Amino acid sequence: MIRTRSFRAALVLAALIAAPASGQSVAFVDVNVIPLDRERVLERQTVVVTGDRIAALGPSSSTAVPAGATRIDGRGKYLMPGLAEMHAHVVGGGNPNHEQLNRDILFLYVANGITSIRAMLGAPNQIPLREQLQRGEILGPTMYVSAPSLNGNSAPNPDSGATLVRAHKAAGYDFLKIHPALTLATYDAIARTAKDVDISWAGHVPAAVGLRHALASGQSGIDHLDGMLEAATPDATYEQLRGPSPPPLPQWLDLVDPARFPSIAAEIKAANSWQVPTILVWENLFSQAETPEQMGTRDELRYVSRQARANYIAQKHNIIQGQRNNGVTPEVAAKYTELRRRALKALIDADAPLLMGTDSPQLFMVPGFALHRELAITASLGVSPFRLYESGSRNVARYVADKLEQDGRFGTVAVGNRADLVLLDANPLASVENLKRRAGVMVRGRWVSSQEIDRGLADLAAKYAQ
């Protein structure tokens, strides 16, 4: 009993150090607020945060700042909700350095204004990490954790799939993660059992399942635009792609009809299945506009180790060689990435449910920084900044409330919402590039100034330069 009480006391002390006390307030004074409930700017506002919640929001001329509150001068600045990375990865417990690596990854997300993440390859160490983040013992976003992968190896038959679903639900994971190579029968067993125990499933669309069956089954989310290009081929090709001997990419890519994308996007919208496009990872995989060595000089790679950078370069060379061996010329690769962009634009035009995500860290993609590249690609399709930010803010809150059945009071600047905020030196509605001009980030009420962020980034760069 004494040991338990001491442990709890230590946790309370750590939380008090990392986050504001429940009665302590922070006030952003005379700031321009972008609430993201709709496209607008509220000028000269005061936003008061107490604990981890927004306690007051109103004109600076009439909104009181509590005595003793920490004041943050917002003149000429813009306050918006923190964004989300909905296809993130953190390190599993099998890595002996997982604790420090995860602290670095989580800090990089916060440094880039990301205050919520969906960890898409769950492991047992991530459940206590989720709770540490919630208690404020570690600086990082609110984290929603998938169960370990359900795939052809982990779930080779319906019985094993159903057993894993029940085990993952009992372990406390937030949702299930679907990977390739599941048989149709096993997928269906997973879906039935997930409904029985009330847990949602998301991720890939296994080839044997296909997009339309996944939608009809109730898959809550689909990542990477999985199945969308395949569904835009003739029926015979679509069935062949679901079988054991699919045609090679160059062959079936010629049969993709972009005119079908709008109707497919309408099906996705009708099914209320959330899409996480991760356009960047596919462009890194297929684009040959830069050499691997040029990709390795990207500025944000100073925040990964030299060995990781060298591995990315070697991996990209191997990918290019493998693609060439399979008839994927630079022209075929360019056609593939262009079709994926057109599929994404169809989803946006259809107002299908979209969530922001990149699939980082991997292959030149540094946590947080990758999201800025993802946004730039999507903005180039003619999408407004407001629409983009929706996919990383209030859409995420809707997904969390609807599909994860958890607290969805975040994603907009409103009284009572979780105090996940980003303070910027320029209007982000004018350009997604202005997201990089951050003056500070607040995560669950804990203020992280630009000076603290810059020091943390400098320390990371110095560590990885050694």
Side-chain angles (χ1 to χ4, degrees):
M1 180 65 72
I2 295 174
R3 182 179 180 184
T4 300
R5 287 177 178 171
S6 299
F7 178 67
R8 288 176 178 169
L11 293 184
V12 170
L13 177 60
L16 290 174
I17 292 170
S22 59
Q24 183 180 342
S25 295
V26 177
F28 299 89
V29 180
D30 207 18
V31 69
N32 299 307
V33 174
I34 301 174
L36 285 186
D37 56 349
R38 59 184 185 273
E39 190 167 3
R40 59 176 178 154
V41 178
L42 305 176
E43 297 181 345
R44 306 201 68 175
Q45 302 287 298
T46 289
V47 178
V48 178
V49 172
T50 301
D52 67 349
R53 295 283 161 175
I54 298 172
L57 163 63
S60 293
S61 59
S62 58
T63 303
V65 176
T70 299
R71 288 173 172 257
I72 298 172
D73 186 359
R75 286 175 296 179
K77 300 184 188 300
Y78 294 81
L79 189 70
M80 67 177 286
L83 297 177
E85 163 61 90
M86 293 299 281
H87 197 118
H89 290 286
V90 294
V91 180
N95 188 310
N97 297 320
H98 68 92
E99 291 184 357
Q100 186 55 56
L101 288 170
N102 281 334
R103 286 176 185 267
D104 292 348
I105 289 170
L106 295 167
F107 171 76
L108 286 168
Y109 284 127
V110 171
N112 284 277
I114 295 169
T115 54
S116 300
I117 63 171
R118 193 174 65 145
M120 290 300 290
L121 190 59
N125 71 308
Q126 294 175 23
I127 293 179
L129 177 60
R130 177 188 65 191
E131 306 310 315
Q132 288 178 294
L133 287 164
Q134 186 61 38
R135 291 191 296 263
E137 297 165 27
I138 295 175
L139 175 61
T142 296
M143 184 166 75
Y144 304 97
V145 183
S146 84
S149 169
L150 291 165
N151 59 65
N153 291 322
S154 66
N157 54 57
D159 287 344
S160 59
T163 298
L164 281 175
V165 170
R166 296 185 185 279
H168 293 335
K169 171 69 175 183
Y173 291 103
D174 294 308
F175 62 100
L176 305 173
K177 169 66 182 288
I178 302 297
H179 259 125
L182 290 171
T183 67
L184 181 59
T186 301
Y187 178 91
D188 286 344
I190 288 169
R192 286 193 303 270
T193 311
K195 291 174 183 176
D196 287 345
V197 302
D198 191 23
I199 188 170
S200 63
W201 67 100
H204 290 257
V205 174
V209 175
L211 176 64
R212 292 190 173 91
H213 188 80
L215 295 176
S217 300
Q219 184 161 326
S220 68
I222 293 173
D223 293 62
H224 318 301
L225 304 180
D226 255 22
M228 194 166 176
L229 267 62
E230 290 86 341
T233 62
D235 291 346
T237 304
Y238 181 62
E239 292 304 317
Q240 190 179 359
L241 288 166
R242 294 179 60 191
S245 302
L249 178 65
Q251 180 178 326
W252 70 262
L253 207 57
D254 286 337
L255 301 175
V256 174
D257 181 5
R260 295 190 180 198
F261 288 156
S263 63
I264 296 168
E267 292 179 52
I268 290 169
K269 181 180 180 179
N272 191 31
S273 181
W274 292 91
Q275 305 294 297
V276 187
T278 67
I279 279 290
L280 176 62
V281 70
W282 293 97
E283 306 227 343
N284 281 357
L285 285 166
F286 280 86
S287 175
Q288 297 184 28
E290 300 174 276
T291 67
E293 286 73 21
Q294 288 172 327
M295 296 174 76
T297 64
R298 292 176 180 176
D299 187 60
E300 63 266 31
L301 290 172
R302 70 177 110 168
Y303 305 118
V304 303
S305 68
R306 291 181 177 181
Q307 184 60 56
R309 194 181 315 150
N311 288 345
Y312 292 157
I313 292 170
Q315 184 182 0
K316 179 64 176 178
H317 276 295
N318 290 335
I319 289 169
I320 292 171
Q321 187 58 55
Q323 289 170 346
R324 289 175 179 169
N325 292 343
N326 288 292
V328 180
T329 63
E331 293 74 24
V332 171
K335 180 177 181 178
Y336 183 57
T337 55
E338 177 59 23
L339 284 169
R340 295 186 72 86
R341 288 189 178 205
R342 293 180 68 175
L344 172 56
K345 186 60 165 58
L347 288 170
I348 294 166
D349 290 344
D351 196 26
L354 288 177
L355 299 172
M356 183 183 292
T358 67
D359 203 357
S360 62
Q362 66 161 311
L363 196 61
F364 306 108
M365 299 188 342
V366 179
F369 293 93
L371 198 65
H372 294 296
R373 291 185 179 272
E374 180 90 11
L375 286 169
I377 293 170
T378 313
S380 73
L381 303 179
V383 185
S384 73
F386 173 74
R387 290 288 305 280
L388 290 175
Y389 305 151
E390 269 191 316
S391 71
S393 58
R394 67 175 186 166
N395 281 8
V396 176
R398 287 171 52 202
Y399 166 83
V400 167
D402 181 30
K403 303 300 186 182
L404 304 187
E405 300 179 345
Q406 298 183 30
D407 184 3
R409 292 175 298 161
F410 65 98
T412 56
V413 183
V415 172
N417 276 6
R418 194 165 70 217
D420 290 341
L421 303 165
V422 180
L423 187 65
L424 300 166
D425 289 327
N427 185 353
L429 294 178
S431 171
V432 295
E433 289 299 307
N434 288 341
L435 279 180
K436 300 175 184 178
R437 299 181 60 183
R438 46 107 183 96
V441 178
M442 177 170 276
V443 55
R444 294 185 307 280
R446 201 274 208 198
W447 173 242
V448 188
S449 68
S450 60
Q451 293 83 4
E452 185 176 350
I453 290 171
D454 290 343
R455 284 195 301 270
L457 290 174
D459 289 345
L460 272 181
K463 178 175 76 172
Y464 287 126
Q466 294 175 4

